[in-house]
Amino acid sequence: MTFMLNHLNNHPSPEALLFDLDGTLYRGNEAIPGADRLIASLERRGIPCLYVTNNSTRTPMEVVEHLLAMGIPAKEEAIVTSALAAAYYVRMHYPGADTYVIGERGLIEALENEGLSLLEGAPDGRKADLVVQGLDRKLTYEQLTKAVKHLLNGAVFVQTNPDRLLPVDGGFIPGAGSIGAILQAATGIEPIIIGKPSRILMDYSLKLAGVSPEKTWVIGDNPYTDLAAARDAGCPSVLVLTGLCTADNWREHCSSAGVTPDAVCAGPEQLEVILSDILK
């Protein structure tokens, strides 16, 4: 089998792998061919796999159910969302802070589990210490107005991820980054970004993995998020051509993102060949 690029033999064998999800292991509700066999093979070998996603809308269990429905084995403790990382970050830096949230169940549940005091339903005059913003597909103008008010009154702005577009079946919808762009334009305040390519999500993932960066491989389809996050964290990276990039344009995308993957392969089936050779 011919590989477009494979320099992974220059790195230590992986002791953990951080997988992106949409575009890497599945597209929407359809598993990418070979994803189930790849993950099952890694589990048999005892190689920890974490699933690291910028999506803040789903709870970890909802992500697990989505993966299992496609035959991809996963456990709740292996799911790392930008919502979980955001909740961990604000608990560490702003414990017990009064928080105004724009987001869906995944973000709200993560913040509540970390002991944050959420202002939803509180008197309008109560001041927020934080505005934590993710994707909310039922967003209202009233929510934006309240968030702007809190930010102009001094609240810290935390954004789960910078993605302007979210891939869905049949196309794209505006992502958390697009909502954040509205708030930033209205207030002039730049958010603290949690998700890839931010180091915050990567550092949180590496903490959970308990493995040094040089022995943790990052697998993803997006040079601007997945591979940029790997570069900044010091992790080897593998680009799979199952999402953003194709065999014809991956070099252009990587050049634009300022990244150099350690391997480029067509998808999970080819990656399994690489791993089988290294881990034998």
Side-chain angles (χ1 to χ4, degrees), residues 171-188:
F172 295 88
I173 62 172
S178 293
I179 297 172
I182 294 173
L183 297 178
Q184 187 173 345
T187 65

Side-chain angles (χ1 to χ4, degrees), residues 193-264:
I193 301 292
I194 302 296
K196 296 176 285 188
S198 169
R199 281 293 302 270
I200 295 173
L201 180 56
M202 285 299 296
D203 288 346
Y204 180 64
S205 301
L206 289 166
K207 175 179 180 295
L208 293 177
V211 176
S212 63
E214 63 271 15
K215 295 181 180 179
T216 304
W217 291 9
V218 173
I219 319 299
D221 71 297
N222 191 324
Y224 304 94
T225 55
D226 306 319
L227 271 60
R231 176 200 62 203
D232 293 345
C235 300
S237 64
V238 178
L239 175 66
V240 289
L241 305 181
T242 47
L244 177 66
C245 297
T246 68
D248 294 327
N249 67 18
W250 70 265
R251 292 177 179 84
E252 180 182 348
H253 278 299
C254 287
S255 176
S256 296
V259 298
T260 303
D262 294 284
V264 178

